[in-house]
Amino acid sequence: MILIKACIFDLDGVIVDTAHYHFLAWRRLAGELGFELTPNDNERLKGVSRMESLNILLQMGGVIASEQERERLANKKNGWFREYVEQMLPEQIYPGVKQLIGDMKANGLKVGLASSSKNAKRVIQLLHIESEFDAVVDGSMIVNAKPHPEIFLLAADLLEVAPEYCLVFEDAEAGVEAALRAGMKCVGVGNHRQLKNANKVVAKTAQFQLSDLTDL
Ligand code: BG6
Ligand code: MG
């Protein structure tokens, strides 16, 4: 039996529905570029960095753009995303997530956040949950985005817990892969088919219970 000592949460789509805001902003950009982004295609944009998401999107639409143009498009998308985010209220945290984090801490587990987003710190500030985490790693602190394991290894390092004792919560295929490559266990949040490599899949984050820790 593996003893879990730390839980590391992804943010977008695991703690709050900012994954939807990313989708809306990317879809708007695709629309301006003359093609449609479907929810299914959007799965490939999840979890990876802003520029990588953009590159995948441009490839999907068959759009060729210079580095300068890509920079401009990424900034545009980020501006729209920030407009959605700035209207967010603390109540928009997914139901039961604050309770789950509280239960983990009450049971002696450390809790970290590892998000590819450079907006992660602003989002947790708006949700009033910054103080819930023992360590926070965002997109500005890493070189290699998910599915590279760097983000989770850095979080484990800051939490001072060895990777094999860490459990990651992820809604993105790239994130599940990153967690497994880091040598951690992973709970997928969302669709079984998409997240089939995770050790366990729940439809919603708060469906996970501390008693589930024993059968991972
Ligand atoms: C991830 C999202 O958390 O952050 C991706 O799943 C997003 O969709 C990435 O592209 C980067 O976010 P940001 O806020 O730095 O553009
Ligand atoms: Mg996510």
Side-chain angles (χ1 to χ4, degrees):
M1 189 188 90
I2 301 272
L3 185 65
I4 297 297
K5 296 180 184 173
C7 292
I8 303 174
F9 288 84
D10 170 49
L11 176 66
D12 299 320
V14 168
I15 286 182
V16 63
D17 200 10
T18 34
H20 186 60
Y21 296 154
H22 281 294
F23 171 58
L24 292 179
W26 286 126
R27 191 176 63 177
R28 188 165 163 187
L29 189 67
E32 280 201 357
L33 293 169
F35 64 97
E36 194 199 344
L37 175 70
T38 66
N40 201 36
D41 289 341
N42 181 59
E43 288 302 315
R44 290 180 53 206
L45 310 185
K46 282 189 183 173
V48 301
S49 69
R50 188 182 308 166
M51 286 316 282
E52 266 169 76
S53 300
L54 176 69
N55 288 340
I56 297 169
L57 184 84
L58 294 179
Q59 202 186 25
M60 284 171 180
V63 178
I64 296 170
S66 65
E67 200 172 327
Q68 201 187 3
E69 177 65 358
R70 277 186 280 139
E71 203 65 48
R72 193 185 68 80
L73 294 172
N75 285 339
K76 197 170 193 181
K77 180 266 172 183
N78 192 49
W80 292 327
F81 176 73
R82 287 296 297 251
E83 276 173 28
Y84 299 128
V85 160
E86 290 300 329
Q87 290 169 28
M88 243 169 38
L89 299 170
E91 299 82 75
Q92 280 176 256
I93 187 166
Y94 283 144
V97 169
K98 226 171 157 176
Q99 177 77 42
L100 177 64
I101 293 175
D103 289 350
M104 286 168 170
K105 288 164 75 177
N107 279 273
L109 295 167
K110 287 190 174 172
V111 179
L113 185 87
S115 168
S116 305
S117 173
K118 291 183 175 155
N119 292 298
K121 286 186 176 152
R122 179 63 182 145
V123 170
I124 60 171
Q125 189 184 36
L126 286 164
L127 293 177
H128 300 169
I129 54 169
E130 305 141 281
S131 60
E132 305 287 330
F133 300 101
D134 299 302
V136 172
V137 182
D138 72 9
S140 67
M141 297 163 73
I142 50 157
V143 179
N144 305 293
K146 301 168 189 175
H148 193 285
E150 181 183 350
I151 194 162
F152 292 125
L153 293 172
L154 178 57
D157 206 32
L158 294 174
L159 291 169
E160 297 179 339
V161 175
E164 63 263 41
Y165 299 118
C166 293
L167 174 66
V168 168
F169 288 76
E170 255 299 343
D171 69 317
E173 275 180 71
V176 172
E177 191 183 328
L180 299 179
R181 281 169 64 183
M184 301 178 181
K185 297 280 175 195
C186 187
V187 173
V189 178
N191 183 303
H192 276 268
R193 240 177 321 116
Q194 241 132 25
L195 306 173
K196 57 184 178 307
N197 294 333
N199 300 91
K200 179 180 176 71
V201 178
V202 289
K204 308 250 180 255
T205 310
Q207 283 170 3
F208 186 85
Q209 296 178 345
L210 283 199
S211 56
D212 295 328
L213 285 171
T214 48
D215 46 51
L216 282 166

